[in-house]
Amino acid sequence: MTTQQDVQELLRLLVGARKLPMLQAMSHVKALQTVGLKSIQQVAEAPLPDVERAVPDAKAARSLHNACKAAVKRGDAGAGGADAAGGKRPASGAGGGGGVSSKRARPGGSRSSLGEEGGLFGMPEQMTPDELETSLALPADTDEARIASAALETNRAPLVLAFAVELLRYTMPEQPPSSRLSMAQAVVAANSRYKAHSLGIESATPAEREGWGEGQPKVRVMGREIHVLKRGGYTWNGEESIADSSAGAEDAGDAAPHTDPSQSQTQLLGTPRATPQQRQLLAWSTSQSISLKDSTFIARATHMPDPAERKKLVSSLMAQYPHLKTATHNAWAYRARPPGSSRVVEEKFDDGETGCGALILQMLRDADVIDTLVVLTRWFGGKFLGPDRFRLMRNCVGGALSERMRLTGTNAGLGGEAVWGLDVEAMRSKSTVRGAGPPARHHETTVVGMQIHRPESARNYLLRSFATAEPPTTDLGTDAKEENKTEGGAVSGGGKKTAGAKKKTQKEINLEKEENLGLLLGALRLLYDSWADHLTVADLDQRAWDWYTSVRPSVDSGPSGWGAKGTLELQKILNLRRKA
């Protein structure tokens, strides 16, 4: 009997060893299944003409056939070891030879169907999304006085990681912390690989240039494009509270009148009393209300076949839900075709909520939605939310549009899905050295053999990378050293410590590094905050790299400076803030 793992093993071979894009690999697997070939073992044992029936390209079919034979011979066909008759291969030493030895059971549960190591969405097993994101929290200290006086010792790679992680809070606020860490690590890996290649430290061509990751989506972070893997179905709510959708209007103070809401809209559109189908089309689709730090957001979407109806529809919404008039902001955007025209008209309005109209309009474009008006309402709670504001707005607008599409039977991708940063070097490494143990680079296999940058590794890298810079030393005379010696045996005034100085424990060193990371991330947060409302997402992303290069530690140029450490003065980051 063929199992799901058989299919996964076959996909791994196609994506890894054969270097096929995921979509093409899945197409091949489906074609092979139609001719009864559902595992590596079955493909290896089938006559070549049977494989060619599924893969018309004779050269590709022969190559796949040989690859499956080689995989079976090596003994890494995995669960594809079921033979064509449905029987299982004997284990190693049980007669027949060539089998795969059984693996020792993992503590804490069986292997996930989506990955070799880890549970759903590549997370550690038995961990919910909220638990995962909470475990990845990073410190952030925005005390300007402490930041201004801090000098850290670090090398450049973790500084790029810190810049990228904090940048993604502003450019991709809908992404959970785990995704931001993973994508930021992908940026560091790609940058380091290209730099090492250009310096002659590594002779191998970067994996991306060889086509690894081809077929997967790309995103741009700090000016560099990286391949990502969608984490289908992964949801994360952050710290906000979400009301039940049926109670969303009540929680936001929207007591609907005891009249048929479709009647007023139907009359506004100049049509007779609405039919059930029209009522469904014309009703406002409402998102869940989301609250954070006393601010509440809720979004509504409705059908609008004529841009001229926008004003009437907004007025009818305010009449239907009078409490909306007490909101701090009622931003809106629409895309619609005027009657008899193929031209799409777009318009947006922030109502004081900076960037909200543009966000709604971009989501409508990304989903390819037309003839739709979206209104997003916010009651301001008195506390600024920073980049979380955009994430909450996106979630509300996405909820309203999803409900709209469900009611109207429209299929469209809303975007904003959580993603992993792909580790393309590990993908190549695993393909090159199959059966020789795990690659040296830390990664985890998630969906059908795709390697990702684990967020836990990125977080740990940040936590251990920022030591306190030693003050500059001076050559003091003997008398001066005696005068400046403190009770602990250390020399003050920049002199070197004596043997009597108390050595810090590893715990104290780790705590100090964590505090330093908090100061660095706090400085970056203050920097990005000062520019976020004045730059587009693309401009902020581009400037982030320029800001990094202006403050990074000075090291020797060329191979001698590779991995070298230097001093980072956090005051330099504060100096980059936008002048009020």
Side-chain angles (χ1 to χ4, degrees), residues 495-572:
K496 294 183 179 180
K497 292 182 179 180
T498 66
K502 182 180 179 182
K503 186 177 180 180
K504 292 180 181 177
T505 65
Q506 189 60 48
K507 183 177 180 180
E508 290 172 332
I509 293 174
N510 291 341
L511 181 60
E512 186 177 83
K513 288 182 177 180
E514 183 174 342
E515 291 176 351
N516 289 339
L517 173 62
L519 292 172
L520 170 59
L521 294 180
L524 292 172
R525 190 162 301 181
L526 292 172
L527 169 62
Y528 291 134
D529 266 340
S530 71
W531 288 99
D533 290 339
H534 303 276
L535 296 175
T536 65
V537 167
D539 287 340
L540 187 63
D541 182 271
Q542 187 61 46
R543 288 206 188 188
W545 180 259
D546 295 334
W547 289 331
Y548 155 73
T549 58
S550 69
V551 302
R552 64 189 178 187
S554 297
V555 297
D556 293 339
S557 59
S560 62
W562 178 257
K565 293 185 177 182
T567 300
L568 169 66
E569 297 176 1
L570 298 190
Q571 178 63 56
K572 292 182 178 180

Side-chain angles (χ1 to χ4, degrees), residues 58-400:
K59 184 177 179 181
R62 189 180 307 108
S63 179
L64 172 61
H65 197 222
N66 291 337
C68 289
K69 287 182 177 180
V72 171
K73 186 175 181 180
R74 287 195 305 268
D76 60 358
D83 61 23
K88 293 189 176 180
R89 289 181 303 178
S92 178
V100 178
S101 60
S102 60
K103 295 186 177 181
R104 187 173 300 173
R106 297 177 183 273
S110 61
R111 184 182 303 186
S112 164
S113 63
L114 290 184
E116 291 181 348
E117 300 176 11
L120 194 61
F121 311 117
M123 297 186 302
E125 294 191 24
Q126 309 302 323
M127 185 176 280
T128 67
D130 285 344
E131 289 171 342
L132 174 65
E133 305 308 333
T134 300
S135 72
L136 296 172
L138 291 169
D141 185 345
T142 54
D143 185 327
E144 291 190 35
R146 295 193 65 206
I147 292 172
S149 62
L152 314 183
E153 183 184 38
T154 186
N155 55 356
R156 292 180 173 182
L159 183 58
V160 174
L161 182 59
F163 262 86
V165 165
E166 197 61 28
L167 171 69
L168 287 167
R169 293 184 72 249
Y170 296 83
T171 57
M172 300 184 192
E174 73 280 2
Q175 293 294 326
S178 57
S179 292
R180 297 175 207 157
L181 283 163
S182 179
M183 286 189 286
Q185 185 61 48
V187 173
V188 174
N191 186 64
S192 298
R193 180 68 63 169
Y194 276 86
K195 186 68 174 178
H197 184 69
S198 67
L199 293 175
I201 296 174
E202 289 193 9
S203 58
T205 302
E208 285 188 352
R209 290 184 181 175
E210 294 184 352
W212 290 93
E214 186 177 344
Q216 293 299 316
K218 288 184 177 181
V219 297
R220 183 177 293 274
V221 183
M222 293 184 73
R224 181 176 290 281
E225 285 191 336
I226 57 170
H227 291 281
V228 296
L229 177 69
K230 291 185 178 181
R231 303 164 65 180
Y234 187 89
T235 56
W236 166 71
N237 298 322
E239 299 176 356
E240 67 270 16
S241 59
I242 300 178
D244 182 83
S245 57
S246 62
E250 296 177 6
D251 290 346
D254 300 336
H258 296 290
T259 57
D260 185 351
S262 66
Q263 289 187 29
S264 60
Q265 291 191 49
T266 303
Q267 293 166 3
L268 286 169
L269 293 172
T271 61
R273 183 177 179 83
T275 65
Q277 291 78 14
Q278 289 174 323
R279 184 177 297 114
Q280 186 180 62
L281 180 66
L282 299 173
W284 286 90
S285 302
T286 306
S287 73
Q288 296 172 313
S289 66
I290 302 178
S291 298
L292 178 65
K293 297 180 181 178
D294 299 324
S295 282
T296 298
F297 298 79
I298 193 167
R300 292 176 172 82
T302 193
H303 180 65
M304 190 182 77
D306 185 348
E309 299 292 340
R310 194 273 309 163
K311 187 174 182 179
K312 293 180 180 179
L313 286 174
V314 173
S315 297
S316 72
L317 178 65
M318 297 298 161
Q320 183 177 340
Y321 299 108
H323 194 69
L324 293 181
K325 297 176 182 178
T326 69
T328 315
H329 311 286
N330 282 294
W332 51 261
Y334 69 78
R335 299 182 77 228
R337 288 194 185 100
S341 173
S342 60
R343 179 174 60 93
V344 176
V345 176
E346 300 177 339
E347 192 177 0
K348 58 183 173 62
F349 175 60
D350 285 344
D351 193 25
E353 185 67 71
T354 306
C356 183
L359 180 143
I360 299 171
L361 183 56
Q362 188 59 50
M363 291 186 69
L364 289 170
R365 290 170 179 164
D366 291 344
D368 195 23
V369 171
I370 57 173
D371 295 341
T372 299
L373 167 68
V374 177
V375 178
L376 189 142
T377 303
R378 179 186 182 183
W379 285 266
F380 180 57
K383 301 174 184 176
F384 293 107
L385 304 182
D388 282 336
R389 175 172 67 100
F390 289 98
R391 176 171 58 83
L392 302 184
M393 291 191 298
R394 178 181 286 275
N395 288 346
C396 282
V397 173

Side-chain angles (χ1 to χ4, degrees), residues 280-281 285 303 401 403-411:
Q280 186 180 62
L281 180 66
S285 302
H303 180 65
L401 287 177
E403 180 65 11
R404 183 101 219 118
M405 293 171 185
R406 185 187 69 80
L407 291 175
T408 59
T410 304
N411 292 319

